[in-house]
Amino acid sequence: MFRLAQRIKLRGRHAVIGTPYAWLAVFFLLPFVLVLRISLAQMDGAQVAPLMTFANGELTFRFHLTPYLQLLTDDLYLHAYLVSLKYALITALICLLIGYPFAYFLARSEPRWQPMLLMGVMLPFWTSFLIRVYAWKGLLEDNGWIGAPIHASGLNQLLALLGLIPSPEQLLYSPFSLVLGMVYTYLPFMVLPLYATLSRMDTRLLEAALDLGATPWQAFWRITVPLSKPGIVAGSMLVFIPCVGEYVIPELLGGPETLMIGRVLWDEFFANNDWPMASAVAIVMILLLLVPLVAFGRTQAQAREAK
């Protein structure tokens, strides 16, 4: 009976550990392999040619690296990658600057108010993502609720001077409208991890720092910020990674100078019908995103070791 119980316990442990790996294999690894296979193939009319053929007793493999060579030589793709990384980084930084104070005061607010404040953070998710983004087109028009005050206050002149909009009369289809839409959309992804980290922080450390002569500002920078590093990294990754491949927001709010890799991917798939090229673009984008994911994994491991 003891051995049977040990076997059942061991199998249960393997099942619990193996379930997430099976999930990743089915929903990440398998699609990745299929996309990689398409990127190494050629188009045969409207279909993707097979990589492996068997004829006359011979097994032949045909790998075509032309899409990857084109990625290295065509400035269009390099420019789209750089623009995507730039706007994703800007969005993550702005979300951090806005989200950190909000998450801090949310974590320090009275417990009876926290559910209501959290509801306010998550409330936008109750509305369709496409509708929320499309609503900004109306808000940023000349007579819109956001566009009208900007024009009336003369802020549009400053935005044009900084190069964030093409002209003082055009707020839409500009870097300003693009970043505004992405910050609005992904700000909750920054606030929630920060709140989860800050709410678990031991406030007795702050009291000890104040007792030892530290000012509130010094206690914040030397205790609160370092202890909230896992939340900062997690929130930044949750904002940065989807922003790199964003398609809807640049399409609705961005302009010609904000061509991001998501739009290039769409054009290669559906406009040019060049599936190998589109798959190669997607593979390189995934490889680029592995760098911050590895950094995030190391940060999480260090946080666990610190505990």
Side-chain angles (χ1 to χ4, degrees):
M1 289 295 295
F2 178 75
R3 291 183 178 180
L4 180 60
Q6 287 291 99
R7 290 179 181 179
I8 294 176
K9 182 178 179 181
L10 185 61
R11 290 179 181 178
R13 182 181 302 175
H14 289 167
V16 171
I17 297 175
T19 299
Y21 285 100
W23 178 275
L24 290 174
V26 173
F27 294 102
F28 175 76
L29 184 59
L30 182 58
F32 179 83
V33 172
L34 292 176
V35 174
L36 179 63
R37 180 258 177 195
I38 295 175
S39 69
L40 297 174
Q42 277 186 325
M43 292 298 295
D44 185 9
Q47 296 181 345
V48 179
L51 291 179
M52 181 179 62
T53 58
F54 183 78
N56 300 324
E58 294 183 356
L59 185 63
T60 306
F61 293 91
R62 296 179 180 177
F63 299 99
H64 299 272
L65 300 177
T66 304
Y68 293 97
L69 296 177
Q70 190 173 348
L71 285 177
L72 297 175
T73 56
D74 196 332
D75 293 338
L76 170 67
Y77 302 103
L78 178 60
H79 175 73
Y81 281 120
L82 293 178
V83 169
S84 300
L85 293 174
K86 180 182 74 172
Y87 284 113
L89 182 60
I90 292 173
T91 302
L93 289 176
I94 295 176
C95 286
L96 179 60
L97 293 176
I98 299 175
Y100 196 100
F102 186 85
Y104 180 85
F105 289 110
L106 177 60
R108 297 294 179 266
S109 61
E110 296 183 12
R112 62 193 179 98
W113 293 112
Q114 290 186 10
M116 184 181 299
L117 294 173
L118 281 174
M119 180 65 69
V121 174
M122 296 183 291
L123 195 61
F125 292 110
W126 293 14
T127 308
S128 170
F129 167 74
L130 183 60
I131 294 176
R132 286 187 285 123
V133 175
Y134 200 86
W136 277 102
K137 299 185 70 173
L139 293 173
L140 291 175
E141 290 180 352
D142 294 342
N143 57 348
W145 288 4
I146 303 296
I150 289 178
H151 285 285
S153 62
L155 185 59
N156 57 328
Q157 301 288 341
L158 178 61
L159 294 174
L161 184 63
L162 295 175
L164 298 178
I165 57 176
S167 65
E169 293 76 23
Q170 182 182 346
L171 294 177
L172 280 170
Y173 313 117
S174 63
F176 168 73
S177 59
L178 171 66
V179 174
L180 181 62
M182 291 204 297
V183 169
Y184 163 77
T185 301
Y186 291 105
L187 183 59
F189 294 93
M190 179 67 74
V191 172
L192 295 176
L194 285 172
Y195 166 74
T197 302
L198 291 170
S199 62
R200 294 195 303 265
M201 193 181 72
D202 190 354
T203 57
R204 292 176 298 179
L205 298 174
L206 295 175
E207 297 175 359
L210 295 175
D211 292 339
L212 292 173
T215 64
W217 189 249
Q218 290 174 331
F220 173 77
W221 277 109
R222 296 185 179 183
I223 296 178
T224 303
V225 172
L227 290 178
S228 61
K229 183 180 177 181
I232 294 174
V233 176
S236 300
M237 293 300 100
L238 288 175
V239 173
F240 178 82
I241 291 175
C243 281
V244 172
E246 182 59 55
Y247 168 75
V248 175
I249 300 176
E251 179 68 14
L252 294 179
L253 301 178
E257 68 277 11
T258 58
L259 178 64
M260 296 178 67
I261 201 64
R263 177 56 191 265
V264 174
L265 194 63
W266 172 276
D267 289 340
E268 293 294 348
F269 260 119
F270 300 103
N272 301 334
N273 196 33
D274 191 349
W275 287 31
M277 189 68 219
S279 299
V281 171
I283 291 295
V284 173
M285 183 176 67
I286 292 173
L287 295 178
L288 288 175
L289 294 178
L290 286 178
V291 176
L293 285 176
V294 171
F296 173 68
R298 290 183 177 179
T299 303
Q300 294 294 94
Q302 292 174 358
R304 289 193 295 267
E305 292 176 0
K307 294 179 181 180

